[in-house]
Amino acid sequence: FYTDWCGPCRVMDRDVFTNGDLAAFFNERFLNLKINAEKGEGVALAKQFGISGYPTLLFLDGQGLETKRVVGIATASKLMKMGKEVRQSK
C-alpha cells in the first residue's frame, strides 16, 4: 500500500523495487500488487487490512489472510530475506 504523497514510497519505487534480483525473486514466486490507499478500491482495502502507515507491504496466503507485514521503508536485502522466510513457512 502506498500514497501519492509518501516520500518513502517513492524511494522504494526508485531504489528497492528496481533491484533486479529482488524483482526476479518476487515476480517468480508471488503475485505482486501496488495499491494506492487513497484511490479507488484501495480505500476499502486499506481499511480492511488496517493500514495506517506508508508504505505497508503485506504478505497474504492463498485464502487472503495476512502472514507478514512490513511498515515503512525496507531495503532490498530485508525484503528478499522476508520473502524467503514467507516461502519457507508454507
Side-chain angles (χ1 to χ4, degrees):
F1 288 88
Y2 77 100
T3 64
D4 292 333
W5 51 263
C6 171
C9 299
R10 289 191 296 270
V11 170
M12 289 194 65
D13 276 346
R14 184 187 68 225
D15 299 337
V16 178
F17 298 134
T18 57
N19 177 291
D21 292 335
L22 181 71
F25 178 83
F26 272 80
N27 288 334
E28 291 172 9
R29 294 167 178 84
F30 295 94
L31 174 61
N32 304 292
L33 298 173
K34 182 178 178 183
I35 300 170
N36 188 325
E38 297 181 328
K39 294 183 180 175
E41 294 176 14
V43 176
L45 287 170
K47 185 175 181 180
Q48 175 184 342
F49 286 103
I51 305 300
S52 60
Y54 306 100
T56 296
L57 288 76
L58 299 180
F59 291 87
L60 307 176
D61 65 14
Q63 287 72 45
L65 301 174
E66 183 178 331
T67 61
K68 194 156 197 73
R69 177 180 292 233
V70 181
V71 179
I73 199 162
T75 63
S77 60
K78 179 179 177 179
L79 289 181
M80 182 72 82
K81 181 180 177 185
M82 293 171 99
K84 289 178 180 179
E85 288 171 0
V86 167
R87 292 295 296 180
Q88 290 177 351
S89 66
K90 290 183 113 185

